[in-house]
């Protein structure tokens, strides 16, 4: 049986070139679930709005307005109701960090 | 035969300069995370483990070179898109994220020695293992429906050659033929899927073969988004689609594929095209590893998706039992991030964060008519449940502009989730 471990000796400390390991805080997983519709890092490819077209303050207001019903939506009204205002703000901060 | 991706090849020849330019970090010192299955769950898990733990040595193993997505496969069956539209490559996972992509079939997992073995004869040791094999069809659970029968009466419930076969049969069918879809009982992959499929086939019939009919024989009396589907059918396909619930003798109990016959308790039908969606279980590797319970699916810790039966193995996607989350590509992707976050936290010696996940499923009833269901999930009383007041389905009675917008968003969703998963 061949062993996959043959690939290991070529490693020359390359982990050092990688970014420092990000801690998986709650905001990461909670916020990253938005990427299913809006793309990794909020860089939407299609009809879903990308996050880079608005400022953090604008996005926070939009999400709060979807949640309260002040802003009309097809689906974001249903989704934002699953979060507190503080959580929505934290999601925006994660994408805008 | 096992094949290694270019990424792995670069590593094997030891060209460190090139390797570092790609951000390779496959080091003996980093945690070893192996992912079985390259669909929405597995591919997302591999990518997000790398995002959360850049030093991890991540290996993704899939039996196929590319993945055909079930989402949007109904548009191929309806003739709106080609097979190439739903085919996804693993290249970006290898080249952009430094994931070692292996084309091989996993034949055994030893949860004690923590080793994954493949048909190609390779063993992969792991610290954490993600199992995301999707579903397998329970051959024989519906009398007469086995692998040979599926070549005559396609299920098309795992996208790929079966999708193309069903499309080919619909194209060959004469105007005036009857198409039948046999829909299974719960639980199964993609609860609104059979009804989206019925809609898009009906769209094809209406525009290309208007004398034809479509009958859904159902093992259930209710289905996902049923009110919205029925509203759309009444508007667009009133003379084409007929839905027969279990209470009206809709459940198919036997199939004779050679004779082209579907049987319910009291009737026999001989449609021009039969699409049989049979009962399902977690993928075979999950069953043979002892990750499933008597339901045929895999129980998991709702906070982390770690198997409750085997430590250090995380089961995500259609194969697991995830409380109120439906078996969908979006659920699998969202669960993958929860599992990746938990793995990262465990490796770093932290406590995994609170579980938080989303599901959004769009269904197309026509190219310009979309509907959706969504949910936002957390762990409540030890189970994954939708957060009260959140989620739900599109409104009934919405106007054309609303349905058109949701159809556009369906396409946008597909583009984004494919990028988030494989890009």
């Amino acid at each position: 049986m061949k062993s996959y471990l043959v690939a290991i000796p070529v490693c020359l400390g390359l982990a050092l070139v990688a970014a420092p390991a990000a801690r998986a805080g709650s905001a990461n997983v909670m916020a990253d679930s938005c990427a299913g519709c809006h793309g990794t890092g909020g860089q939407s490819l299609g009809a879903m709005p990308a996050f880079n077209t608005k400022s953090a303050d604008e996005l926070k207001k939009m999400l709060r307005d979807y949640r309260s019903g002040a802003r009309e939506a097809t689906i974001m009204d249903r989704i934002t109701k699953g979060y507190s205002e503080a959580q929505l703000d934290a999601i925006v901060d994660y994408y805008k960090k | 035969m096992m094949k290694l991706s270019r990424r792995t090849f670069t590593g094997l020849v030891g060209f460190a300069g090139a390797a570092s330019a790609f951000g390779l970090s496959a080091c003996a010192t980093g945690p070893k995370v192996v992912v079985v299955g390259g669909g929405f769950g597995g591919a997302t898990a591999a990518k997000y483990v790398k995002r959360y733990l850049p030093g991890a040595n991540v290996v993704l193993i899939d039996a196929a070179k590319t993945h055909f997505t079930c989402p949007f496969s109904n548009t191929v069956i309806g003739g709106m898109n080609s097979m190439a539209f739903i085919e996804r490559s693993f290249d970006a996972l290898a080249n952009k994220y430094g994931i070692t992509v292996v084309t091989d079939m996993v034949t055994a997992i030893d949860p004690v020695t923590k080793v994954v073995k493949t048909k190609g004869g390779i063993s992969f040791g792991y610290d954490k293992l993600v199992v995301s094999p999707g579903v397998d069809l329970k051959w024989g659970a519906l009398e007469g429906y086995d692998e040979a029968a599926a070549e005559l009466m396609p299920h098309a419930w795992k996208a790929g050659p079966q999708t193309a076969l069903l499309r080919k049969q619909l194209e060959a069918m004469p105007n005036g033929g009857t198409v039948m879809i046999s829909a299974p009982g719960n639980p199964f992959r993609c609860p609104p899927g059979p009804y989206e499929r019925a809609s898009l086939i009906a769209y094809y019939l209406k525009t290309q073969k208007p004398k034809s009919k479509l009958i859904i024989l159902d093992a259930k009396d209710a289905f996902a988004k049923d009110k919205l589907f029925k509203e759309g059918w009444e508007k667009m396909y009133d003379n084409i689609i007929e839905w027969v619930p279990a209470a009206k003798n809709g459940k198919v109990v036997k199939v004779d594929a050679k004779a082209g016959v579907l049987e319910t308790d009291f009737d026999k039908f001989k449609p021009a095209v039969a699409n049989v969606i049979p009962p399902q279980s977690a993928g075979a590797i999950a069953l043979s590893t002892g990750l499933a319970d008597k339901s045929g699916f895999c129980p998991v810790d709702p906070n982390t998706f770690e198997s409750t039966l085997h430590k250090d193995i995380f089961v995500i996607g259609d194969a697991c039992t995830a409380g109120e989350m439906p078996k969908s590509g979006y659920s699998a992707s969202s669960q993958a991030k929860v599992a990746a976050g938990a793995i990262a936290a465990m490796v770093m010696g932290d406590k995994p964060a609170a579980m938080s996940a989303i599901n959004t499923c769009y269904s197309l009833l026509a190219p310009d008519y979309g509907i959706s269901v969504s949910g936002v999930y957390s762990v409540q009383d030890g189970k994954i449940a939708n957060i009260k007041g959140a989620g739900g389905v599109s409104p009934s009675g919405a106007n054309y502009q609303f349905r058109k917008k949701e159809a556009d968003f369906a396409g946008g969703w597909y583009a984004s989730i494919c990028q988030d998963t494989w890009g």
Side-chain angles (χ1 to χ4, degrees), chain B residues 159-170:
Chain B
Q162 279 275 309
T163 312
L165 176 62
L166 180 54
R167 177 63 197 160
K168 202 173 139 199
Q169 290 187 354
L170 289 168

Side-chain angles (χ1 to χ4, degrees), chain B residues 33-47:
Chain B
V33 179
V34 176
V35 180
V36 178
F40 284 97
T44 305
K47 174 170 161 177

Side-chain angles (χ1 to χ4, degrees), chain B residues 148-343:
Chain B
E151 293 304 311
L152 301 169
M153 294 180 164
H155 53 78
W157 217 240
K158 295 176 97 171
Q162 279 275 309
T163 312
L165 176 62
L166 180 54
R167 177 63 197 160
K168 202 173 139 199
Q169 290 187 354
L170 289 168
E171 284 174 353
M173 185 184 85
N175 185 7
T178 299
V179 180
M180 284 193 172
I181 296 176
S182 166
N186 295 320
F188 65 101
R189 161 179 279 178
C190 190
Y195 314 96
E196 179 191 63
R197 176 172 293 177
S199 307
L200 295 184
I201 292 175
Y203 179 82
Y204 167 68
L205 299 179
K206 185 179 176 177
T207 50
Q208 306 285 324
K209 295 174 179 172
K211 292 180 193 163
S212 306
K213 298 250 178 244
L214 185 143
I215 298 170
I216 306 163
L217 296 172
D218 210 325
K220 305 178 292 302
D221 288 325
F223 58 87
K225 296 184 262 192
D226 50 5
K227 204 174 156 193
L228 291 170
F229 274 110
K230 287 173 189 173
E231 180 188 320
W233 292 346
E234 206 170 291
K235 267 190 199 156
M236 295 184 286
Y237 310 123
D238 203 24
N239 298 314
I240 299 175
I241 295 181
E242 184 189 345
W243 174 66
V244 187
K248 292 191 175 165
N249 195 32
K251 186 183 177 182
V252 173
V253 296
K254 191 179 172 184
V255 163
D256 183 343
K258 278 185 188 153
V261 172
L262 299 176
E263 276 185 44
T264 62
D265 277 333
F266 300 105
D267 293 307
K268 284 188 180 183
F269 302 94
K270 198 173 173 183
V273 174
N275 169 212
V276 177
I277 305 166
Q280 297 145 37
S281 68
I285 190 67
L287 304 184
S288 63
T289 307
L291 291 164
D293 60 20
K294 63 180 191 308
S295 73
F297 293 95
C298 305
V300 293
D301 179 331
N303 295 293
T304 61
F305 287 87
E306 186 173 15
S307 167
T308 56
L309 302 173
H310 290 300
K311 203 176 171 317
D312 295 324
I313 300 181
F314 298 73
V315 187
I316 55 173
D318 295 346
C320 77
T321 300
E324 293 182 2
M325 290 187 84
K327 297 188 184 303
S328 74
Y330 200 122
S331 287
S333 157
S334 200
Q335 291 162 6
K337 292 166 188 175
V338 174
I343 287 169

Side-chain angles (χ1 to χ4, degrees), chain A residues 53-84:
Chain A
T53 57
K54 295 266 189 300
S55 71
D57 285 346
E58 286 171 320
L59 286 175
K60 284 179 186 176
K61 181 169 183 342
M62 276 176 83
L63 291 178
R64 285 169 179 240
D65 287 349
Y66 282 136
R67 186 175 183 272
S68 71
R71 190 183 175 99
E72 280 192 15
T74 55
I75 198 165
M76 284 306 295
D77 49 346
R78 292 178 256 158
I79 290 174
T80 46
K81 288 187 179 72
Y83 305 92
S84 67

